[in-house]
Amino acid sequence: MLSARGVTRRSFMKLCGAVAAAAGLSQLAAPQIAQALEKSVIGATKGKLYPVIWIEGASCTGCTESFAQVETPDPASVVLELISLNYSETLSAAAGWSMEEAKEQTIEAGNYILVYEGAVLEGWDGQALRVADKPGTEHLIEAAEKANAVVALGSCAVNGGWMGAHPNSSGALGVQQFLEKAGIDVDVINIPGCPANPEWLVSVLVDVIMLEKLPPLTNEGKPEGIFGQTIHDNCERRGHFENGEFVYQFGSEEEAKGYCLYPLGCRGPQTKSNCGVTLWNNRRSWCVQAGSPCIGCCEAAPHDPGHNWVEVNTPFYKRHRDLRIGDWMVQPGTIALGITGILAAALVVHGFGMKITGRMDGGADFEKVRAWDKNHPGKAIGKYDLTRDEAKAACEKSSHNANAKAVESDEEEGR
C-alpha cells in the first residue's frame, strides 16, 4: 500500500521514528511501532482502514489546515491517508446529502474515532451553529454516543477557545463539558493549541489504533506525554532565564543575542505543552525559536470556558494579564500606579493640613542630653557641648534622682 503511494520503506521508518517522538517514546520504539502499524492498519485483514469522523464545530478550520499542510511523507499526511476519513466537512470530496449519509453509515457500523474541531455552541438552543438542517449540538451527540473515543482537537474544542471569552454570547464551551452535561459516557482526549500540532493528533491516533487504548492522560484529559511539562521546562532560552538575561524591547541587542523573552509577556512558565520538543512545520522551528514570546495558546481548562487562552493571556506582549472587574478591564500595573498616586496625594494634603494648623511652625523640642546620660552621669556615653549652667542643671537633676532612689532603697530595707 505504501509503495503504491510512492512511500519508501526508509520514509516509512522515518514516519515511525517521528511518531515515537511525538508520543514521548524513544527512537528505539520505531520498529515496534512499524510492526504494529503494519499489522493493525497497513496489513488490515478486514479490507478497510480505521474509520474516522471529523466534525467541524465553531472553528476557523485552523487545526484542519495544520493537519493537512505538512510535507509528504510526514506523519500527519501518511496516517491521514492510511485512515479512512469517512466524514470531514473541510477535506471530503463529497458534499451535501452524500456526505451526511456516509457519516450516518459510519456511526451505524461503530468502531470509529470522532475528531471534533471547534467550539460547541449551546446558544439559542444549539441553533448558534446549524448544519444539515440540525443543531450542531445534535450532530455531536449522535457521533459521540457510539465512538470508541472522542478527540477534542484544538483549544476551541477543549473549552470554547477564544469564542468562550467574555461575554460568550453564543454559549461556547468544550466537548468534554458538553458531553458530560448531555449524559454521554465516552472517553474524551483533549488536545489544546491554536492550532493543535498535527503530530499530537498522529500520536493519539496511533495509540488508539496500535494499542487499542487511550494514552496516559492528565487530570484535564490531555495526553501526559505532550502536556505533562511546561514549555519553560524544555525552552532553548531557559539558560538565559536562569542567568537573568532578558529581552525588554524588540529590536534590541538582547533580542539579537537570543535572550529570554519573559519580560515581553512569554507565557512559557505557565503553559503546559512540548512545543519546543515536537516543533512545527516539519520540525523546522517553533514560536520562541522564531523570536515570538509564547502566547499560551495551549492553556485551556476543559470545565471552564472562561479560562480560555485569549482571556487569560491578553495583552500578549505585556508581563501581566488584564484583570476584569465586571465589564472593565485593567492592568495590575495601572492599579499599582493609581494606588501610589492616591497615597502621594494624601501625603500632600496631610502636609498642607499640618501647615495650616500651625503644627509645623514651632517644631518639636529635642533633648540636649540623653535621658540615660542624665540619670547615669557616671556611665554617660554621649559627649555634649553644654554651657556651664546647662551642665550644672543636668548634674543637679541626676543627683536628685540618685538620692531619691537611695532613700527609696533604704526605706525598702527598713521595711
Side-chain angles (χ1 to χ4, degrees):
M1 289 178 62
L2 287 174
S3 298
R5 297 172 185 271
V7 180
T8 64
R9 180 70 183 176
R10 181 177 180 181
S11 296
F12 174 64
M13 292 307 297
K14 182 181 177 182
L15 152 71
C16 296
V19 170
L25 303 174
S26 165
Q27 293 285 339
L28 298 175
Q32 287 84 353
I33 290 177
Q35 183 180 3
L37 283 174
E38 290 169 345
K39 179 180 177 182
S40 60
V41 180
I42 300 171
T45 57
K46 295 181 181 179
K48 62 179 183 180
L49 305 178
Y50 202 99
V52 173
I53 295 176
W54 190 310
I55 294 180
E56 291 289 341
S59 75
C60 65
T61 70
C63 292
T64 300
E65 294 286 341
S66 175
F67 197 81
Q69 293 185 12
V70 289
E71 295 182 10
T72 304
D74 256 26
S77 309
V78 176
V79 174
L80 183 62
E81 291 180 358
L82 296 176
I83 289 174
S84 178
L85 189 59
N86 292 1
Y87 182 90
S88 171
E89 293 154 321
T90 306
L91 299 178
S92 292
W97 177 83
S98 59
M99 218 174 120
E100 294 303 317
E101 183 183 38
K103 185 180 73 173
E104 291 176 4
Q105 291 174 350
T106 303
I107 293 174
E108 185 178 352
N111 193 37
Y112 61 89
I113 295 176
L114 170 62
V115 177
Y116 192 94
E117 174 184 0
V120 184
L121 303 185
E122 286 188 315
W124 303 284
D125 297 325
Q127 304 297 336
L129 177 64
R130 191 172 178 84
V131 181
D133 203 29
K134 288 193 299 187
T137 51
E138 191 173 325
H139 283 274
L140 173 56
I141 291 174
E142 288 178 353
E145 282 182 319
K146 293 185 178 181
N148 292 343
V150 177
V151 178
L153 185 62
S155 292
C156 291
V158 173
N159 78 338
W162 60 268
M163 280 170 284
H166 182 82
N168 194 8
S169 56
S170 62
L173 74 165
V175 172
Q176 183 176 350
Q177 186 179 21
F178 173 79
L179 292 178
E180 288 175 356
K181 290 171 65 176
I184 306 298
D185 184 18
V186 63
D187 293 316
V188 178
I189 306 169
N190 293 308
I191 305 179
C194 192
N197 192 309
E199 294 194 29
W200 298 340
L201 178 57
V202 170
S203 68
V204 170
L205 292 177
V206 169
D207 247 330
V208 174
I209 295 170
M210 180 178 69
L211 302 176
E212 297 183 349
K213 67 177 184 179
L214 303 182
L217 303 176
T218 67
N219 58 0
E220 292 187 334
K222 302 172 184 176
E224 190 173 0
I226 300 171
F227 303 102
Q229 289 183 303
T230 66
I231 286 178
H232 182 69
D233 291 331
N234 300 296
C235 181
E236 59 205 52
R237 300 184 187 230
R238 181 166 178 177
H240 294 297
F241 177 90
E242 303 293 347
N243 291 335
E245 299 168 340
F246 299 103
V247 179
Y248 295 95
Q249 184 177 359
F250 289 113
S252 63
E253 181 182 353
E254 290 77 14
E255 183 188 13
K257 291 180 178 179
Y259 283 1
C260 178
L261 299 167
Y262 185 74
L264 293 179
C266 183
R267 303 305 197 262
Q270 68 200 52
T271 305
K272 290 189 174 182
S273 175
N274 70 351
C275 296
V277 176
T278 308
L279 305 183
W280 288 76
N281 299 320
N282 199 26
R283 297 180 175 270
R284 284 187 173 86
S285 181
W286 68 294
C287 306
V288 174
Q289 185 177 341
S292 169
C294 168
I295 60 175
C297 71
C298 288
E299 281 196 81
H303 293 92
D304 183 7
H307 191 86
N308 59 80
W309 65 275
V310 174
E311 195 159 354
V312 168
N313 294 331
T314 50
F316 297 129
Y317 297 147
K318 296 287 186 180
R319 181 59 260 145
H320 301 289
R321 60 169 288 190
D322 284 333
L323 298 179
R324 181 180 297 280
I325 305 174
D327 291 330
W328 184 54
M329 297 179 67
V330 63
Q331 274 277 299
T334 305
I335 296 177
L337 288 174
I339 293 175
T340 302
I342 292 172
L343 290 175
L347 290 174
V348 170
V349 171
H350 177 69
F352 278 113
M354 292 279 287
K355 184 67 175 176
I356 293 172
T357 57
R359 297 177 64 186
M360 296 179 64
D361 296 337
D365 293 330
F366 294 94
E367 294 180 328
K368 294 181 180 180
V369 180
R370 292 177 58 189
W372 168 266
D373 292 349
K374 288 181 181 180
N375 297 329
H376 306 83
K379 300 179 180 179
I381 59 175
K383 295 182 178 180
Y384 307 100
D385 186 15
L386 301 178
T387 65
R388 191 168 187 175
D389 293 339
E390 290 173 338
K392 183 179 180 181
C395 289
E396 289 177 351
K397 185 175 181 180
S398 298
S399 299
H400 174 75
N401 291 339
N403 291 335
K405 289 183 178 180
V407 169
E408 183 179 349
S409 176
D410 291 342
E411 291 176 350
E412 182 67 28
E413 290 179 2
R415 286 197 291 271

